[in-house]
Amino acid sequence: MEQPTPSIFRSLARGLAVVVSGGTFLLLGAVLLEYWSSFAAMSAPDALRAALREMAEHVVLPVLALAIPMMLAMHFVMRRALRPLGEATERLNAVSGQDRNIRVDDAHLPAEILPFTTAVNTLLGRLEQSAAQQEAFAADVAHELRTPLAAMMLELDGMEGEQAARLKGDVAAMRRLIDQLMLLAQMDAQEAAATVTDDVDLAELASDVIARTAPVVIASGRMIELVCDGQPPSVRGRREAIGAALRNLIDNAVRVTPPAGTVRVILDGKPAIRVADGGGGLTEDQLERLVQRTARADHASPDGAGLGLAIVHRIMQVHRGSIRTEPRSSSLILDFAQ
């Protein structure tokens, strides 16, 4: 059976209650022994009762009158002494999953807690350093791989045949994977370093992304259109990152839309971009699974890395937004509402 978690407040309260109660009984016992000889000398019952009543009025009641306020005062003092711990806990609970440089503020904590908070802050620093090193390593690897891949593509451009075409496809897939890894590393670095952001016009951004992706969409036998039902407000962020998130949603929509179908990018006046496709839509559980970096959808591109929705999710996290799904309208939504 699992043991209950011990409470410092309850342990102190029980200990002080035992001390106060024990001291009270010891005091009463000492007084009783002091007056025992006097009680023994009293033969008359009335005199004995009078002496006991006088002892109760002048000894027992004053002791109880003093003990009860003392216990209430000790309760208040203990609550006041432990209040900084509760406040520190509330500040930590208010930290979001995207915040960095998290530390326990020990400026107002009791001195007895400082060694523990120092150890926790040291551990948090080590974890952040390890995460930063991993992000930098991923970015460095992706950057270093770009040069040899570019050289390989130039060599393959001068070759013909089925094998050359297959190799070109493999190199192109590797370049897409590297671009995705670099984008993930950039998002993590932006969040850690609080990179300066700009005002992004969602309508202008959506129009530009559609213009760039339309040739590829049309070549796949689908159509794409922009539906603007209202001018959305500008949002703070990195334009290229938000554009990459929208491109990933469009790529995802093209894969699930039947031939001759239409992918619609919809703006409805809210700080959001909706991408509707011709597929069956994703449930919330499916979307929750697919935003993990290790998951792949059934309709994922065979030459992709399976990181599309994971990248979109990470970009929206950094921009304090979210990616949502509406299965009934077969839509995925980039929601920037705070």
Side-chain angles (χ1 to χ4, degrees):
M1 181 177 180
E2 185 177 354
Q3 296 295 328
T5 303
S7 169
I8 296 178
F9 179 81
R10 292 179 181 176
S11 299
L12 289 175
R14 283 195 297 265
L16 291 174
V18 170
V19 170
V20 172
S21 301
T24 301
F25 285 115
L26 287 175
L27 178 60
L28 293 177
V31 172
L32 184 61
L33 289 175
E34 178 71 21
Y35 287 96
W36 181 255
S37 58
S38 300
F39 292 158
M42 295 179 183
S43 57
D46 293 340
L48 181 60
R49 283 194 296 269
L52 290 173
R53 183 171 60 253
E54 182 177 356
M55 179 181 171
E57 292 176 354
H58 293 83
V59 178
V60 177
L61 290 180
V63 169
L64 292 178
L66 180 61
I68 294 176
M70 285 181 60
M71 295 183 68
L72 293 176
M74 286 186 293
H75 182 277
F76 172 77
V77 170
M78 288 189 297
R79 286 290 187 189
R80 186 182 181 87
L82 295 176
R83 184 182 303 167
L85 291 177
E87 294 174 351
T89 301
E90 291 178 358
R91 288 193 294 270
L92 288 176
N93 287 334
V95 174
S96 69
Q98 297 81 43
D99 291 335
R100 296 291 184 95
N101 299 320
I102 302 169
R103 295 294 185 274
V104 179
D105 185 6
D106 56 6
H108 304 289
L109 293 180
E112 292 79 6
I113 306 296
L114 294 183
F116 176 75
T117 57
T118 300
V120 171
N121 287 336
T122 301
L123 176 61
L124 290 174
R126 291 173 181 171
L127 292 175
E128 286 184 4
Q129 184 179 8
S130 176
Q133 290 174 347
Q134 291 182 4
E135 293 164 6
F137 176 75
D140 291 341
V141 170
H143 180 74
E144 292 298 328
L145 285 175
R146 274 187 163 184
T147 301
L149 286 178
M152 291 175 61
M153 186 62 74
L154 289 176
E155 292 290 336
L156 291 173
D157 285 340
M159 301 173 58
E160 298 181 356
E162 182 179 349
Q163 185 176 7
R166 185 175 67 253
L167 289 175
K168 288 180 182 179
D170 293 339
V171 173
M174 292 179 66
R175 291 185 62 178
R176 283 192 292 270
L177 172 59
I178 290 172
D179 290 339
Q180 290 177 334
L181 290 175
M182 286 196 68
L183 183 57
L184 284 174
Q186 289 170 0
M187 290 298 96
D188 292 336
Q190 174 188 340
E191 188 177 49
T195 305
V196 177
T197 56
D198 300 315
D199 288 325
V200 180
D201 186 330
L202 294 182
E204 187 271 335
L205 173 68
S207 177
D208 182 61
V209 171
I210 290 175
R212 292 175 180 271
T213 58
V216 177
V217 175
I218 294 173
S220 68
R222 282 84 171 173
M223 299 297 294
I224 185 170
E225 67 173 338
L226 175 63
V227 180
C228 191
D229 294 333
Q231 178 66 30
S234 298
V235 299
R236 295 291 297 179
R238 288 183 57 190
R239 189 181 189 279
E240 63 273 18
I242 299 174
L246 179 56
R247 283 193 298 272
N248 277 331
L249 288 193
I250 292 175
D251 290 343
N252 184 78
V254 170
R255 285 195 292 269
V256 300
T257 299
T262 301
V263 175
R264 292 179 173 83
V265 178
I266 304 171
L267 302 174
D268 56 3
K270 300 177 181 178
I273 303 177
R274 180 191 304 266
V275 178
D277 55 56
L282 293 175
T283 65
E284 292 184 2
D285 291 340
Q286 289 174 324
L287 180 61
E288 182 68 22
R289 180 177 63 84
L290 291 174
V291 297
Q292 305 301 319
R293 298 186 185 183
T294 57
R296 290 178 62 91
D298 294 336
H299 56 267
S301 174
D303 58 355
L307 292 174
L309 292 182
I311 290 176
V312 175
H313 176 64
R314 188 72 184 103
I315 292 173
M316 297 307 295
Q317 278 186 326
V318 173
H319 288 82
R320 300 298 189 267
S322 62
I323 175 175
R324 298 188 292 107
T325 179
E326 283 189 359
R328 290 182 298 179
S329 60
S330 189
S331 301
L332 289 176
I333 305 166
L334 302 177
D335 191 353
F336 297 90
Q338 300 294 324

